[in-house]
Amino acid sequence: MRPSGRAIDALRPVFIQPGFAHHAEGSALIRMGGTEVLCAATVETRVPSFLRGKGQGWVTAEYGMLPRATHSRGQREAARGKQTGRTQEIQRLIARALRAVVDLKALGEISVTVDCDVLNADGGTRCAAITGAWVALRLALEKLVRDGTLPALPIKGQVAAISCGLTDDGPVLDLDYREDSTASADANFVLTADGGIVEIQGTAEKDPFTEAQFNTLMRLARTGTAELFRIQTAIVEEALKA
Amino acid sequence: MRPSGRAIDALRPVFIQPGFAHHAEGSALIRMGGTEVLCAATVETRVPSFLRGKGQGWVTAEYGMLPRATHSRGQREAARGKQTGRTQEIQRLIARALRAVVDLKALGEISVTVDCDVLNADGGTRCAAITGAWVALRLALEKLVRDGTLPALPIKGQVAAISCGLTDDGPVLDLDYREDSTASADANFVLTADGGIVEIQGTAEKDPFTEAQFNTLMRLARTGTAELFRIQTAIVEEALKA
Amino acid sequence: MRPSGRAIDALRPVFIQPGFAHHAEGSALIRMGGTEVLCAATVETRVPSFLRGKGQGWVTAEYGMLPRATHSRGQREAARGKQTGRTQEIQRLIARALRAVVDLKALGEISVTVDCDVLNADGGTRCAAITGAWVALRLALEKLVRDGTLPALPIKGQVAAISCGLTDDGPVLDLDYREDSTASADANFVLTADGGIVEIQGTAEKDPFTEAQFNTLMRLARTGTAELFRIQTAIVEEALKA
Amino acid sequence: MRPSGRAIDALRPVFIQPGFAHHAEGSALIRMGGTEVLCAATVETRVPSFLRGKGQGWVTAEYGMLPRATHSRGQREAARGKQTGRTQEIQRLIARALRAVVDLKALGEISVTVDCDVLNADGGTRCAAITGAWVALRLALEKLVRDGTLPALPIKGQVAAISCGLTDDGPVLDLDYREDSTASADANFVLTADGGIVEIQGTAEKDPFTEAQFNTLMRLARTGTAELFRIQTAIVEEALKA
Amino acid sequence: MRPSGRAIDALRPVFIQPGFAHHAEGSALIRMGGTEVLCAATVETRVPSFLRGKGQGWVTAEYGMLPRATHSRGQREAARGKQTGRTQEIQRLIARALRAVVDLKALGEISVTVDCDVLNADGGTRCAAITGAWVALRLALEKLVRDGTLPALPIKGQVAAISCGLTDDGPVLDLDYREDSTASADANFVLTADGGIVEIQGTAEKDPFTEAQFNTLMRLARTGTAELFRIQTAIVEEALKA
Amino acid sequence: MRPSGRAIDALRPVFIQPGFAHHAEGSALIRMGGTEVLCAATVETRVPSFLRGKGQGWVTAEYGMLPRATHSRGQREAARGKQTGRTQEIQRLIARALRAVVDLKALGEISVTVDCDVLNADGGTRCAAITGAWVALRLALEKLVRDGTLPALPIKGQVAAISCGLTDDGPVLDLDYREDSTASADANFVLTADGGIVEIQGTAEKDPFTEAQFNTLMRLARTGTAELFRIQTAIVEEALKA
């Protein structure tokens, strides 16, 4: 029995609210249990200098956490004067995940920045950010199609992410903070709806783990992302109707 | 007729949701029309070094704005590596406003930091932050009384803030972004429920204004804060019942 | 009786020395009692990027304090690696004050930066900076007229600033450091020679103050700035003759 | 046929020179083909503040790249004023890899910092750094045993790392820069000599990859690290004899 | 004939005004022609951590230049966020020069910081700073003797500095900006009144120079500092009488 | 007898390995006893903005020290977020030394950056860096001639540097760390093969020194650099044959 009473392979309740950021071209507030991330996509008709004149677009991401999103208050990165290594690692991960499903050539000389800001944290913030960021990005790109900027959606697939880990209850899906902070190993899986792997990050927090254990975690991740893909699709459809 | 259709002396719809930040000792999400600020109070049993051993507490504030809270995306301060002058000016203002109504001696060697993060911006964010921060602070201090840390609420009064300005429609209350960006002058009033003035910041954006105009703005501010005090009180009472 | 022996409505001795900064297009060393600020105006034939091609000029200001301008030595901001919030707040205030009396359209694509550096501090440095900066700015703009760059002075008015406060001696004009550090409230008034208000910053340092008290402070400020306007005018006339 | 003429499952020539950093408690210069990393372990008898008084030690790592280690010169991070996200990500990875095989309790209140500086880069620098860092760390800990500071080696295992990737030649082991920059996916495997997995980082650079492809990469990694473990062991034995 | 009409071995007019910084324990405004540097010495009864408990004192210096001390405005270092290499080089030089004539053991656990801020620059600012800093330091130490903190002056000698250079007029003493910016080589000499050399910094700006040329520059420097030592002594004597 | 057993006027064993940095246009690893510096020259076909369109080139240098190049580990400058004053002073010195022997007009609009990174430090790192940097620069410029970018070598001379100092053994050549840290004075001489002086930096670490002592140090420096010029020439000739 997990601390939360959830089954081994059960996600926390997932809720996605599109349009939370009023001004963004696309946005989504995603909640996974006690974790809450605001994802806002900004479209700009310019690209970073290394891409200028190459006829392709770019997708990037930034990540932040409000100082009191966590159990005890963390120092504000803006006050500290720099982003932590953890923050930079996460925002690079989110950006790679999104780029893996966007056709950058079809996007043309447009860049999209997705800001993922954690309002409340209870484990799994980077995975929630990726899952929510895809919705925000999709809505922003739909807008470019609707207003005639793009002839078709430059999206190659659907991406979502989930963490799994080895806890005292064995391998489990979607760790909350309590589980995450005591797991002997955990892994983040970024997967696509058609079965592809975009990114795997598995880390032994205490002792090395085995290949068999790793494969079990991947099975759990498949189960979890299947559910996330259904939710993303439903939300996007509903938002587009509105 | 104002662009929003509001009367000269009408506030935008105000909504305060206590407890939005799950982990904070006190928190409030305040909405004033399209402006939305998350205020989260953190209690720590230590004081800054300049107060150590002086038997008194401290209240401070930090302010931030999500990059896409605004019409066009602003650079993330954490990425930029420093807080703008505007940010620092605002967080110093919020902190002074809160300290003006707290009995720091009665607080003892405890510090409270109130983080005010703008999720959506449509003018008046610093005033909304002050009004919401007072609720977050009050709830955090109530908790200290309830859990026996403090014998009584170390609060001397109730504080709220509102902006007024000189627009093409004459002097108006509670400017939204459209009004704020074209006003010839504006002023922020930080007032207490018993009629005191905590802070006045009046600025001619274009041409100097007269003392008569300034007095009209102060009248409007009194009207606006009277309403804000009623809303603060109602929310705190309700939150304490829960 | 005030600590300095001054009357309630008496300024400290004011002395303005034009031309102190040899290379600046206009400069003034202003002394108000023990406070001494060097104001140096720099003219450049370019504008910030947000104004490029808009056919108007810009006026900005920077503020600094020598480390040992104060009773005890403060850390050098250049060594610390950033300007404090206080510094940024003050330099933004000085710049707004100057812009309120300059016709930016008439200035054309020219920018003026006024550096205000405190050599000795005894209270009221930001007000002295504004009063001295106007002289430096005026002299720099006169030079542009004399050398034919501008057809006429792009100045709409004359600006000066003074602080007033509530002390144990009641409301007083032009606080020195001793008074400032113990006042229960103080206010800085930036006024124009034709009676306009450019900026008001009133702050309750301890307890909220009343509207009546605030009005008394404004009366005192009018008295003080009237004297400052006379001194500015005399100095400018004398400097232009030389 | 790979560009270098290597077989699919062939490492580049590996050479490890212990003692390159004269002053370090343990050091190793590792070369893998054209990649060259200097790893230097520093022992200090203190621990970071979050571990003080907990009776355990700490192992951390820092990573850097000389500006002209690469084909075109990169900006010096010290001149730029901050470490890139990539640098921080890599040094966190190296540190986790080392901590996974150290018994921190047995280490006692001692910290070891391993500096990994890339002198020449031709792909796979983070993996070479981990493999070399383990040698430097081992030699430093042996020194603590020899001089009586520790009763026994606080090492639980042997760790090495290797990259594999999907190229036009199919799945290959130990990518050099040419392969790395054109691979459609790559993965870094941090493994232990007794078969454990410490870290897996798999990333689709272009298109998502399949689970079967991923498993092939892991097979290759096992082959490569088996060879690295043999080399590490031989070098350490030889160094200890000297 | 030099551009200024001065003889080859003539100093610019030198003027030293003690006490310019009201709050400093010792201060001097030094003018050498158009160069003007405010030197302010701060005494603190603590030493840097690397000297704690060693029963000796420390003397250090900081250097700055007001943005418009120069012909065209320079960026404010505090705004830029860091001190230039030039600034750091100069303040290290000033500090070494002062420490060479102070008996740090006799000073006891006291530190003196001398701030040297350039108000107007016309060449030779670092040398003027050293010459003025010695006066500020001496006055501050005299104060420690007068108030009984120290039994005797912990000063071993008198130090002053002057620049010499190879110009189109041959080797000359005390270069102004015009000469300095076109000299083919220049050298700064920091000398003591009893004939010792504290520091020599000779630099070929264009072509290497010969040993004979260098020796001529040193002769000139001896002449110049002899005059500076007389002026320093006269000013200190006069200041102590007052 | 010196601690190392060397004669008063003996250099440490010098060894220069060209080509150590694989990708650099010219490079040299220089060892002087226990001091080891990697010098890598980068050629770029652009010049800094202050030289654009002036038809001349530029030569600059950067200096760094690996954290554990020293007896005890120093903080990594990239992690600290800024370069120390010492680092900046040294890299400015190296750059001036190199520019003194390059014909910048003949170089054309090309810039060369020489990175000097200390791998192991045992005194004299800045001098070794200059001596090695000249070799790296020379090889890079030879490459520009060989590939037809330049018609002839834009080099006016040969530069090398050596430190001398006053120790308990009297004046000695080429101080190692033990000598350097206890010398009463030391001086760095940057000289050219045809007898010119490029830079002299003499510093009294404890007591002022005399002109006679200084002249003895310069004699020793001449002896030392004569040997360095022979070694540089031999290495360059050999490298060009290869």
Side-chain angles (χ1 to χ4, degrees):
Chain A
M1 188 59 145
R2 298 168 69 178
S4 58
R6 272 190 286 151
I8 288 306
D9 61 353
L11 290 180
R12 293 175 287 178
V14 180
F15 175 76
I16 299 178
Q17 176 183 345
F20 191 93
H22 309 161
H23 304 298
E25 280 72 36
S27 75
L29 178 72
I30 181 168
R31 286 193 199 111
M32 298 192 66
T35 285
E36 203 160 11
V37 186
L38 174 49
C39 307
T42 295
V43 172
E44 288 167 302
T45 52
R46 63 170 185 223
V47 289
S49 55
F50 70 92
L51 284 181
R52 239 161 256 160
K54 303 214 170 153
Q56 75 159 86
W58 193 239
V59 176
T60 189
E62 294 197 5
Y63 173 91
M65 200 181 255
L66 296 194
R68 196 56 199 282
T70 43
H71 282 81
S72 59
R73 186 176 183 272
Q75 200 187 353
R76 186 176 289 266
E77 288 187 325
R80 190 175 171 262
K82 61 177 177 179
Q83 295 177 300
T84 62
R86 180 185 171 276
T87 289
Q88 295 194 59
E89 198 170 311
I90 293 175
Q91 63 195 11
R92 284 156 55 89
L93 169 65
I94 299 170
R96 283 196 308 268
L98 296 176
R99 283 197 297 269
V101 293
V102 171
D103 181 341
L104 296 173
K105 285 283 175 201
L107 181 56
E109 296 225 339
I110 280 173
S111 69
V112 186
T113 303
V114 186
D115 286 290
C116 299
D117 285 275
V118 179
L119 306 187
N120 280 296
D122 186 28
T125 64
R126 79 185 68 187
C127 290
I130 290 170
T131 305
W134 183 84
V135 174
L137 172 67
R138 171 77 190 270
L139 293 176
L141 295 177
E142 292 277 1
K143 191 161 179 289
L144 290 177
V145 174
R146 268 204 322 281
D147 69 16
T149 305
L150 292 179
L153 259 194
I155 280 196
K156 299 186 294 181
Q158 187 174 350
V159 75
I162 199 71
S163 76
C164 304
L166 301 173
T167 70
D168 293 347
D169 303 305
V172 300
L173 176 68
D174 189 19
L175 285 69
D176 60 24
Y177 177 77
R178 249 183 315 178
E179 290 174 321
D180 190 47
S181 57
T182 57
S184 74
D186 70 356
N188 296 300
F189 294 88
V190 185
L191 305 175
T192 60
D194 58 0
I197 301 171
V198 167
E199 184 113 8
I200 294 175
Q201 294 188 333
T203 302
E205 296 294 335
K206 287 170 191 152
D207 295 304
F209 51 92
T210 67
E211 207 162 325
Q213 287 174 316
F214 178 72
N215 288 332
T216 305
L217 297 182
M218 194 179 282
R219 290 288 83 70
L220 285 169
R222 295 269 185 212
T223 309
T225 50
E227 175 67 9
L228 293 173
F229 292 130
R230 275 191 296 274
I231 295 169
Q232 285 177 329
T233 300
I235 291 296
V236 168
E237 279 176 7
E238 193 179 338
L240 293 179
K241 274 187 221 141
Chain B
M1 189 61 144
R2 299 168 68 178
S4 58
R6 272 188 287 151
I8 289 304
D9 61 350
L11 291 179
R12 292 175 286 179
V14 180
F15 175 75
I16 300 177
Q17 176 182 346
F20 191 93
H22 309 163
H23 304 298
E25 281 72 33
S27 76
L29 179 72
I30 181 168
R31 286 194 197 110
M32 298 191 66
T35 286
E36 203 159 13
V37 186
L38 174 49
C39 307
T42 295
V43 172
E44 289 166 303
T45 53
R46 63 169 186 226
V47 289
S49 55
F50 70 92
L51 284 180
R52 238 162 256 161
K54 302 214 170 153
Q56 75 159 85
W58 194 239
V59 175
T60 189
E62 294 197 3
Y63 173 91
M65 200 180 256
L66 295 195
R68 195 56 199 280
T70 43
H71 282 80
S72 60
R73 187 175 182 271
Q75 199 186 357
R76 188 176 287 267
E77 288 187 325
R80 191 175 171 262
K82 60 177 177 178
Q83 296 177 301
T84 63
R86 179 185 173 277
T87 290
Q88 294 195 60
E89 197 170 312
I90 293 175
Q91 63 195 11
R92 284 156 55 91
L93 169 65
I94 300 170
R96 284 196 307 268
L98 296 176
R99 282 197 297 270
V101 294
V102 170
D103 180 340
L104 296 172
K105 285 284 175 201
L107 181 56
E109 297 224 338
I110 280 173
S111 69
V112 185
T113 303
V114 185
D115 287 290
C116 299
D117 284 275
V118 180
L119 306 187
N120 280 296
D122 186 27
T125 63
R126 79 186 68 189
C127 291
I130 290 170
T131 305
W134 184 84
V135 174
L137 173 66
R138 171 77 190 270
L139 294 176
L141 295 176
E142 292 279 359
K143 191 161 178 290
L144 291 177
V145 174
R146 269 203 323 279
D147 70 15
T149 305
L150 292 179
L153 259 194
I155 279 195
K156 299 185 296 183
Q158 187 173 350
V159 75
I162 199 71
S163 76
C164 304
L166 301 173
T167 69
D168 293 345
D169 304 306
V172 301
L173 176 67
D174 190 17
L175 286 70
D176 61 23
Y177 177 77
R178 250 184 314 179
E179 292 174 319
D180 190 45
S181 57
T182 57
S184 73
D186 70 355
N188 296 300
F189 295 89
V190 185
L191 305 175
T192 59
D194 58 1
I197 301 170
V198 168
E199 185 112 8
I200 294 175
Q201 294 187 333
T203 302
E205 296 294 336
K206 287 172 193 151
D207 296 303
F209 51 91
T210 68
E211 207 162 327
Q213 288 173 315
F214 178 73
N215 288 334
T216 305
L217 297 182
M218 194 180 281
R219 290 287 83 72
L220 285 169
R222 294 271 185 211
T223 309
T225 50
E227 176 67 9
L228 293 172
F229 292 130
R230 275 191 294 276
I231 295 168
Q232 284 178 327
T233 301
I235 291 296
V236 168
E237 279 176 8
E238 193 179 338
L240 294 178
K241 272 186 221 141
Chain C
M1 187 61 144
R2 299 167 69 178
S4 59
R6 272 189 287 152
I8 289 304
D9 61 353
L11 291 179
R12 292 176 287 179
V14 180
F15 175 75
I16 299 178
Q17 177 183 346
F20 192 92
H22 309 162
H23 303 298
E25 280 72 36
S27 75
L29 179 72
I30 181 168
R31 286 193 198 108
M32 298 191 66
T35 286
E36 203 160 12
V37 185
L38 173 50
C39 306
T42 296
V43 172
E44 289 167 302
T45 52
R46 63 170 186 223
V47 288
S49 54
F50 71 93
L51 284 181
R52 239 162 256 161
K54 303 214 171 153
Q56 75 159 87
W58 193 240
V59 176
T60 189
E62 294 197 4
Y63 172 92
M65 201 181 254
L66 296 195
R68 196 54 200 281
T70 44
H71 282 80
S72 60
R73 185 175 184 272
Q75 198 186 356
R76 187 176 288 266
E77 288 187 325
R80 190 175 172 262
K82 61 177 177 179
Q83 296 177 299
T84 62
R86 180 185 172 277
T87 289
Q88 295 195 58
E89 198 170 311
I90 292 175
Q91 62 195 12
R92 284 156 55 88
L93 169 65
I94 299 170
R96 284 196 307 267
L98 297 175
R99 283 196 298 268
V101 294
V102 171
D103 181 340
L104 296 172
K105 285 282 176 201
L107 181 55
E109 296 225 339
I110 281 173
S111 68
V112 186
T113 303
V114 187
D115 287 290
C116 299
D117 285 275
V118 180
L119 307 187
N120 280 295
D122 187 27
T125 63
R126 79 185 67 188
C127 291
I130 289 170
T131 305
W134 183 85
V135 174
L137 172 66
R138 171 78 190 271
L139 294 176
L141 295 177
E142 292 278 0
K143 192 162 179 290
L144 290 177
V145 174
R146 269 205 321 282
D147 69 16
T149 306
L150 292 180
L153 259 193
I155 280 196
K156 299 185 296 181
Q158 186 173 350
V159 75
I162 199 71
S163 76
C164 303
L166 302 173
T167 69
D168 293 346
D169 303 306
V172 301
L173 176 69
D174 189 19
L175 285 70
D176 61 23
Y177 177 77
R178 250 184 314 179
E179 290 174 321
D180 190 46
S181 58
T182 57
S184 74
D186 69 356
N188 296 301
F189 295 88
V190 185
L191 305 176
T192 60
D194 59 1
I197 302 170
V198 168
E199 184 112 8
I200 294 175
Q201 294 187 333
T203 303
E205 295 294 336
K206 286 172 192 149
D207 296 303
F209 51 91
T210 67
E211 207 162 324
Q213 288 174 315
F214 178 73
N215 288 333
T216 305
L217 297 182
M218 194 180 282
R219 292 287 83 72
L220 285 169
R222 294 270 186 210
T223 308
T225 50
E227 175 67 9
L228 293 173
F229 292 129
R230 276 192 294 274
I231 295 169
Q232 285 178 327
T233 301
I235 291 295
V236 168
E237 280 176 8
E238 194 179 338
L240 293 180
K241 272 186 224 143
Chain D
M1 187 61 144
R2 299 168 69 178
S4 58
R6 273 188 287 150
I8 288 305
D9 61 351
L11 290 180
R12 293 176 286 179
V14 180
F15 175 74
I16 300 177
Q17 175 182 346
F20 191 93
H22 309 161
H23 305 299
E25 280 72 35
S27 76
L29 179 72
I30 181 168
R31 287 193 198 110
M32 298 192 66
T35 285
E36 202 160 12
V37 186
L38 173 50
C39 306
T42 295
V43 172
E44 289 167 304
T45 53
R46 62 169 186 224
V47 289
S49 55
F50 71 92
L51 283 181
R52 238 161 255 161
K54 301 213 172 155
Q56 74 159 86
W58 193 240
V59 176
T60 188
E62 294 197 4
Y63 173 92
M65 201 181 256
L66 296 194
R68 196 56 199 282
T70 44
H71 282 80
S72 59
R73 186 176 183 271
Q75 199 186 356
R76 188 176 286 267
E77 289 187 325
R80 189 175 172 262
K82 60 179 177 177
Q83 296 177 299
T84 63
R86 180 184 172 277
T87 291
Q88 295 194 59
E89 198 169 312
I90 292 175
Q91 63 194 11
R92 285 156 54 89
L93 169 65
I94 300 169
R96 284 196 307 268
L98 296 176
R99 283 197 298 270
V101 294
V102 171
D103 180 341
L104 296 172
K105 285 283 176 201
L107 181 55
E109 296 225 338
I110 280 173
S111 68
V112 185
T113 303
V114 186
D115 287 290
C116 299
D117 285 274
V118 179
L119 306 187
N120 281 294
D122 186 27
T125 64
R126 78 185 68 188
C127 290
I130 290 170
T131 305
W134 183 83
V135 174
L137 172 67
R138 170 77 189 270
L139 294 176
L141 295 177
E142 292 278 0
K143 192 163 179 285
L144 291 177
V145 174
R146 270 204 321 280
D147 69 16
T149 305
L150 292 180
L153 259 194
I155 280 195
K156 299 186 295 181
Q158 188 174 348
V159 75
I162 199 70
S163 76
C164 303
L166 301 173
T167 70
D168 293 345
D169 303 306
V172 300
L173 176 68
D174 190 17
L175 285 69
D176 60 25
Y177 177 77
R178 249 184 313 178
E179 292 174 320
D180 190 45
S181 57
T182 56
S184 72
D186 70 356
N188 296 300
F189 295 88
V190 185
L191 305 175
T192 60
D194 58 0
I197 301 170
V198 168
E199 185 113 8
I200 293 174
Q201 293 187 335
T203 302
E205 295 294 337
K206 287 173 193 150
D207 295 303
F209 51 92
T210 67
E211 206 161 327
Q213 288 173 315
F214 178 73
N215 288 334
T216 305
L217 298 181
M218 193 179 283
R219 290 289 81 70
L220 285 169
R222 294 270 185 211
T223 308
T225 51
E227 176 66 9
L228 293 173
F229 292 131
R230 275 192 295 275
I231 295 168
Q232 285 178 327
T233 301
I235 291 296
V236 168
E237 278 176 8
E238 193 179 336
L240 294 178
K241 271 186 221 142
Chain E
M1 186 62 142
R2 300 167 68 177
S4 59
R6 272 190 287 151
I8 289 304
D9 61 351
L11 290 180
R12 293 175 286 180
V14 180
F15 175 75
I16 299 177
Q17 176 182 345
F20 192 93
H22 309 162
H23 304 299
E25 280 72 34
S27 75
L29 179 71
I30 182 168
R31 285 192 199 111
M32 297 192 66
T35 286
E36 203 160 12
V37 186
L38 174 49
C39 306
T42 295
V43 173
E44 289 166 302
T45 52
R46 64 170 185 223
V47 289
S49 55
F50 70 92
L51 284 180
R52 239 162 255 160
K54 303 213 170 154
Q56 75 160 86
W58 193 240
V59 176
T60 189
E62 294 196 4
Y63 173 91
M65 200 180 256
L66 296 194
R68 196 55 199 283
T70 43
H71 282 80
S72 60
R73 185 175 184 272
Q75 198 187 356
R76 188 176 285 266
E77 289 187 325
R80 189 174 173 264
K82 60 178 176 178
Q83 296 177 300
T84 62
R86 180 186 172 276
T87 290
Q88 294 194 59
E89 198 170 310
I90 293 175
Q91 63 194 9
R92 284 155 55 90
L93 169 65
I94 300 169
R96 283 196 308 268
L98 297 175
R99 283 197 297 270
V101 293
V102 171
D103 180 341
L104 296 173
K105 284 284 175 201
L107 181 56
E109 296 225 338
I110 280 173
S111 68
V112 186
T113 303
V114 187
D115 286 290
C116 299
D117 285 275
V118 180
L119 307 188
N120 280 296
D122 186 28
T125 64
R126 80 185 67 188
C127 290
I130 289 170
T131 305
W134 183 84
V135 174
L137 172 66
R138 171 77 189 270
L139 294 175
L141 295 177
E142 292 278 0
K143 190 162 181 287
L144 290 177
V145 174
R146 270 205 320 281
D147 70 15
T149 306
L150 292 178
L153 260 194
I155 280 195
K156 299 185 296 181
Q158 187 174 348
V159 76
I162 199 71
S163 76
C164 304
L166 302 173
T167 69
D168 293 345
D169 303 306
V172 300
L173 176 67
D174 190 18
L175 286 68
D176 60 24
Y177 177 76
R178 250 184 313 179
E179 292 174 319
D180 190 45
S181 56
T182 57
S184 73
D186 70 355
N188 296 300
F189 294 88
V190 185
L191 306 174
T192 60
D194 58 1
I197 301 170
V198 168
E199 185 113 7
I200 293 174
Q201 293 188 334
T203 303
E205 295 295 337
K206 287 171 193 151
D207 295 303
F209 50 92
T210 68
E211 206 161 326
Q213 288 173 315
F214 179 72
N215 287 334
T216 305
L217 297 182
M218 194 180 280
R219 291 288 81 72
L220 286 169
R222 293 271 185 211
T223 308
T225 51
E227 175 67 10
L228 293 173
F229 292 130
R230 276 192 293 275
I231 295 169
Q232 285 178 327
T233 301
I235 291 296
V236 167
E237 279 176 8
E238 194 179 336
L240 293 178
K241 273 187 220 140
Chain F
M1 187 62 144
R2 299 168 69 178
S4 59
R6 271 189 288 151
I8 288 306
D9 60 352
L11 290 180
R12 293 174 286 179
V14 180
F15 175 75
I16 299 178
Q17 177 182 347
F20 191 93
H22 309 162
H23 304 298
E25 279 72 34
S27 75
L29 179 72
I30 181 168
R31 287 194 197 110
M32 298 193 66
T35 285
E36 203 160 10
V37 186
L38 174 49
C39 306
T42 295
V43 172
E44 289 167 303
T45 52
R46 63 170 186 224
V47 289
S49 54
F50 71 93
L51 284 181
R52 240 162 254 161
K54 303 213 171 153
Q56 75 159 87
W58 193 239
V59 176
T60 189
E62 294 197 5
Y63 173 91
M65 200 180 256
L66 296 194
R68 196 56 199 281
T70 42
H71 282 82
S72 60
R73 187 176 183 272
Q75 199 187 353
R76 187 176 288 267
E77 288 187 325
R80 191 175 171 261
K82 61 177 177 181
Q83 295 177 301
T84 62
R86 180 186 171 278
T87 290
Q88 295 195 58
E89 197 170 311
I90 293 174
Q91 63 195 11
R92 284 155 55 88
L93 169 65
I94 300 169
R96 283 196 306 270
L98 296 176
R99 283 197 297 269
V101 293
V102 171
D103 180 341
L104 296 173
K105 285 284 175 201
L107 181 56
E109 295 225 339
I110 280 173
S111 68
V112 186
T113 303
V114 186
D115 287 290
C116 300
D117 285 274
V118 180
L119 307 187
N120 280 296
D122 187 26
T125 64
R126 80 185 68 187
C127 290
I130 289 170
T131 305
W134 184 85
V135 174
L137 173 66
R138 170 78 190 271
L139 293 176
L141 294 177
E142 292 279 0
K143 193 162 179 287
L144 290 177
V145 174
R146 269 205 321 281
D147 68 15
T149 305
L150 293 179
L153 259 193
I155 279 196
K156 300 185 295 182
Q158 185 173 351
V159 75
I162 198 70
S163 76
C164 303
L166 301 173
T167 69
D168 293 346
D169 303 306
V172 300
L173 176 69
D174 189 18
L175 285 69
D176 60 24
Y177 177 77
R178 248 183 316 178
E179 290 174 321
D180 189 46
S181 57
T182 57
S184 74
D186 69 357
N188 296 300
F189 295 88
V190 184
L191 306 175
T192 60
D194 58 2
I197 301 171
V198 167
E199 185 112 8
I200 294 175
Q201 293 187 335
T203 302
E205 296 294 335
K206 287 173 191 149
D207 295 304
F209 50 92
T210 67
E211 207 163 324
Q213 288 173 315
F214 178 73
N215 288 334
T216 305
L217 297 181
M218 193 179 282
R219 291 287 84 72
L220 285 169
R222 294 271 185 210
T223 309
T225 50
E227 175 68 9
L228 293 172
F229 292 129
R230 275 191 294 275
I231 295 169
Q232 284 177 327
T233 301
I235 291 295
V236 168
E237 280 176 8
E238 194 179 338
L240 293 179
K241 273 188 222 141

